[in-house]
Amino acid sequence: MVAAAALNSRTGRKVLAGALIGFTVVVAFLVTPLIAVPFAIAGSAAGGTVKQVDAAPGVSGEWGFPLAGGYSKGRGFGYNPVQGCGYCSTDHQGYDMAQGCGATIFAAGHGEVITAGSYQGYGNTVRIDHGGEIVTLYGHMQWDSLRVSVGELVTAGAPLGAEGNTGKSFGCHLHFEVRKSGTAVAPEPFMAGLGLPLK
């Protein structure tokens, strides 16, 4: 009876309209996180946001750096134990470099993509056959970030994917590896010999 009488007056209708608007705002405030959280979790499970940085890497002739601009050096080639990492090999077969999760990784030279996806303990990986029994490997890339596929021909500086933390990795970085006749060789002197010294 009181509610019906309140609806018959102008003031009662204003109070009711204000209450409905207030209720709608409160419900929207409470429900929005319930809708947004699953999307945030899905993005996180997929490796987070891929920040594709397409600045051109330094190129010298037919070869170039696998990252554009400055980077932090991690483990180098050879004996490099990692404190607190039971699965990390002490005989490191590559050269670790990092710009941050999602940084674009580039082909160091022209050749044919022979791996584009999960590869041994390297996680999401690209391998390029450059001919002359030289193969470069780019390991630990973010899932769903690859821009190349097996059989594709690439040139130095072609974007391959994004820096990540997949496989036997302990943080976002690029594991850059060079193999000659199937045997890993130190990337530092190899790249320096091409006029592209690594740190």
Side-chain angles (χ1 to χ4, degrees):
M1 278 310 258
V2 176
L7 287 175
N8 287 333
S9 73
R10 178 183 255 185
T11 305
R13 285 191 297 269
K14 284 183 179 180
V15 169
L16 183 60
L20 285 173
I21 290 170
F23 177 75
T24 304
V25 169
V26 169
V27 168
F29 182 76
L30 294 173
V31 170
T32 298
L34 298 175
I35 296 169
V37 167
F39 288 106
I41 291 170
S44 173
T49 302
V50 176
K51 117 181 137 176
Q52 299 287 358
V53 180
D54 284 333
V59 175
S60 174
E62 295 183 344
W63 290 85
F65 291 108
L67 292 176
Y71 59 88
S72 300
K73 178 187 183 288
R75 294 198 298 161
F77 185 83
Y79 181 74
N80 276 295
V82 178
Q83 292 284 9
C85 181
Y87 58 79
C88 296
S89 170
T90 57
D91 181 21
H92 194 236
Q93 299 287 298
Y95 182 89
D96 290 347
M97 47 203 313
Q99 286 182 329
C101 297
T104 301
I105 296 169
F106 301 91
H110 70 284
E112 181 181 350
V113 176
I114 57 173
T115 299
S118 183
Y119 183 73
Q120 299 175 3
Y122 298 100
N124 201 22
T125 300
V126 170
R127 291 190 312 143
I128 301 172
D129 184 344
H130 302 280
E133 298 191 23
I134 297 173
V135 172
T136 54
L137 179 149
Y138 311 79
H140 307 310
M141 288 198 267
Q142 286 184 350
W143 297 118
D144 299 324
S145 75
L146 298 189
R147 299 191 192 184
V148 294
S149 54
V150 172
E152 187 173 335
L153 298 177
V154 295
T155 57
L160 302 177
E163 191 178 312
N165 185 27
T166 61
K168 293 183 178 178
S169 174
F170 52 90
C172 280
H173 70 286
L174 163 64
H175 173 89
F176 177 59
E177 195 168 301
V178 179
R179 292 189 168 262
K180 277 186 166 181
S181 304
T183 302
V185 298
E188 298 98 315
F190 177 84
M191 294 296 282
L194 298 167
L196 298 160
L198 300 173
K199 288 185 182 182

